[in-house]
Amino acid sequence: MRPFEGKSPMKAILVVVLACVMVPTLALAQEGQAPGNLNTITGVNVTGGRVEIVGTKKPNFTTFTMTDPPRLVIDISEAVFSGVKEEIAVGNGTITGIRTASYGSDESSIARVLIGYEREVETDIQASGNTLVVTIAGSGGTAVAERPGATAPAGTAPATTPGTTAEQAAVAARTDRQQQENAAAQSTAAAQDRQQQEKAAAQSTAAAQAERQQQEKAAAQAAAAAQAEAEAQRQAQARAEADRKAQEEAAKVAAQQAQQAEQRRLQEERAAKEAAAAAEKKRQQDEARAAAEAKKQQAAEEKARRESEAQAAAAEKKRQQDEARAAAEAKKQQAAEEREAKLEEARAAAEERRRQQAEARQARVAQAERPRQAPAQGDSADVSSRSKVMTLVGFRPAPSGSRVFVRTNEPVSYNVTEGNKEVVLELENTRISESNNTRSLNTSFFDTAVVSVDADPGPSRTVRVAIKLKEQVQFETRQNGNEVSIEFQSPSSR
């Protein structure tokens, strides 16, 4: 028995509509290897009221239903078929059949599975791993296998196979009606033959009245039977005509439904094309925006790089200019200091000569007045009359206090005065060699009595070193060679 053999004409029409809906215009080849990033559908299995769609990945799908006839459409995105038939006959009392088709290409591939039903049913669709399971509520039965050589029962419309047009269905109906009319004509001829035989029998039995009456009675019964048979034939012809009209009407309805199905298919294909075009347009727009953004980012980075290089070049140029100015200033300062030192040495030499001359005169006068008195000696004999240079001023904390020290190029004469939280060390006949030595030393963060140390040029070629204190403490001044130091005791609050 074939999958749809023995069904009513309406069910045959449903098969025609199902075939028209599932013809794909943009179908792809289902055989071969699918790209590695696509879901490959390798099997569509039917067990009773359960349909399993097996793939290589977890399915991403959408569904919708259609009526007249009832059917369920499942679209699995980014998927293709491999080794799956385009048409699967079922006929288990619930499912009429299954069709498969592929649309699109590459990443936009869609694998479509259409399930046709005998009636309106409720379904439950669940994804279990890589398998999509469609369960029909209250269904039963098993798949019906096709039996080669089976024929349709007498009195039923011929089954319409998928792909049969309405015109072919009408031709089949007319052929069936002609066969029924021929059968009725043969029955009528047979009845006429029997009437002739009965007439001959009546003539041959005229001699015997009883036998004749029996034969007449038999002939009457035969005539009644023939009349009944003729009536039956008439009714059969009427039924055949009614069936013919029904088949023609069904063929018209099937043609209309097929036309509507074709229109729906074209609308679906048009919608799919429009969706694919919109997706492609969006992809191109996204790529254009990404390219513009990348170009903008590249331009910004290039601009930033040029600005950074310009700033670095400007900074380098300024540094070179500052170094040049500093070198010129240092050179100028060194020349001025050298000139001042030479002038100072000249003045010191002149002063020394005048002093020596005065001392010589005083010595001569003293010798003349007190020829036996010894010359006087003082502590200043170790300090020369040359101009001195302060080379360093520093501070050093100690466990018992702190120490401020000043270094010169040779021993120097000095004075120490004490004020309100301040001690001033004044170096005579001294100048500061470098401007860096005039910077203030902030020592307030040390746990000592000294707050700060400031060295500045004083009047009459002196250097004034001011030492500010947190509180008044005891101190002691010492000179050791070219260094003068002041030792301060720790503060009382310690």
Side-chain angles (χ1 to χ4, degrees), residues 367-386:
Q367 185 177 6
E369 295 177 354
R370 295 184 297 275
R372 296 180 181 180
Q373 183 178 356
Q377 296 181 358
D379 294 337
S380 60
D382 295 334
V383 178
S384 69
S385 60
R386 293 188 298 273

Side-chain angles (χ1 to χ4, degrees), residues 246-436:
Q247 290 174 1
E248 290 178 353
E249 185 65 24
K252 291 180 181 179
V253 173
Q256 293 176 355
Q257 292 177 347
Q259 185 178 4
Q260 294 175 356
E262 179 66 16
Q263 291 177 354
R264 286 194 293 270
R265 184 186 65 79
L266 293 175
Q267 290 175 356
E268 291 175 0
E269 290 181 355
R270 185 165 53 252
K273 289 180 180 179
E274 291 176 354
E280 179 63 20
K281 183 177 180 181
K282 184 177 182 301
R283 183 188 65 78
Q284 293 176 355
Q285 290 175 349
D286 292 342
E287 289 180 353
R289 282 195 295 269
E293 187 66 23
K295 186 176 181 181
K296 182 179 179 182
Q297 180 68 19
Q298 184 179 3
E301 292 177 354
E302 181 65 20
K303 182 179 179 182
R305 184 185 64 78
R306 289 197 298 269
E307 291 178 352
S308 177
E309 291 178 353
Q311 292 175 357
E316 179 64 19
K317 183 177 180 180
K318 184 176 182 301
R319 184 188 65 78
Q320 293 176 355
Q321 291 175 350
D322 292 342
E323 289 179 354
R325 284 194 296 269
E329 186 67 24
K331 186 175 182 180
K332 181 178 178 182
Q333 180 69 21
Q334 183 179 2
E337 290 177 354
E338 290 177 354
R339 288 195 300 271
E340 182 65 23
K342 289 180 180 179
L343 292 174
E344 187 66 28
E345 289 177 358
R347 286 194 294 270
E351 183 67 25
E352 179 66 19
R353 285 194 299 272
R354 286 194 297 272
R355 186 183 65 78
Q356 291 177 357
Q357 291 173 359
E359 288 178 355
R361 285 195 298 270
Q362 289 176 0
R364 286 194 298 271
V365 171
Q367 185 177 6
E369 295 177 354
R370 295 184 297 275
R372 296 180 181 180
Q373 183 178 356
Q377 296 181 358
D379 294 337
S380 60
D382 295 334
V383 178
S384 69
S385 60
R386 293 188 298 273
S387 176
K388 313 303 187 295
V389 179
M390 188 192 79
T391 60
L392 178 66
V393 58
F395 170 81
R396 183 180 296 115
S400 60
S402 57
R403 179 169 176 260
V404 177
F405 58 91
V406 177
R407 293 176 184 171
T408 58
N409 61 338
E410 60 179 82
V412 63
S413 297
Y414 64 88
N415 293 317
V416 178
T417 58
E418 184 178 5
N420 184 19
K421 294 184 180 180
E422 184 180 39
V423 174
V424 178
L425 170 64
E426 188 174 55
L427 305 178
E428 299 178 355
N429 194 21
T430 306
R431 59 185 177 84
I432 300 176
S433 63
E434 297 180 0
S435 60
N436 187 52

Side-chain angles (χ1 to χ4, degrees), residues 80-211:
V80 295
F81 290 102
S82 177
V84 179
K85 296 181 179 179
E86 294 184 359
E87 180 179 354
I88 303 173
V90 181
N92 61 3
T94 303
I95 302 175
T96 60
I98 298 176
R99 297 280 297 187
T100 63
S102 297
Y103 298 89
S105 61
D106 298 334
E107 299 300 330
S108 62
S109 295
I110 296 176
R112 171 170 290 183
V113 178
L114 188 147
I115 305 173
Y117 299 117
E118 294 280 356
R119 62 187 181 280
E120 296 290 342
V121 296
E122 294 183 359
T123 59
D124 177 61
I125 306 173
Q126 298 290 336
S128 176
N130 297 342
T131 302
L132 186 62
V133 181
V134 181
T135 304
I136 303 171
S139 64
T142 58
V144 179
E146 182 178 359
R147 186 176 73 246
T151 59
T156 61
T160 305
T161 60
T164 303
T165 64
E167 182 180 358
Q168 292 173 344
V171 171
R174 287 196 295 270
T175 302
D176 184 65
R177 186 182 71 251
Q178 185 66 37
Q179 292 175 355
Q180 292 177 359
E181 290 177 353
N182 293 336
Q186 291 175 1
S187 298
T188 303
Q192 292 176 355
D193 290 341
R194 282 194 297 272
Q195 288 177 356
Q196 292 175 357
Q197 291 173 2
E198 289 174 356
K199 185 176 180 181
Q203 292 175 355
S204 64
T205 59
Q209 185 65 33
E211 186 177 358

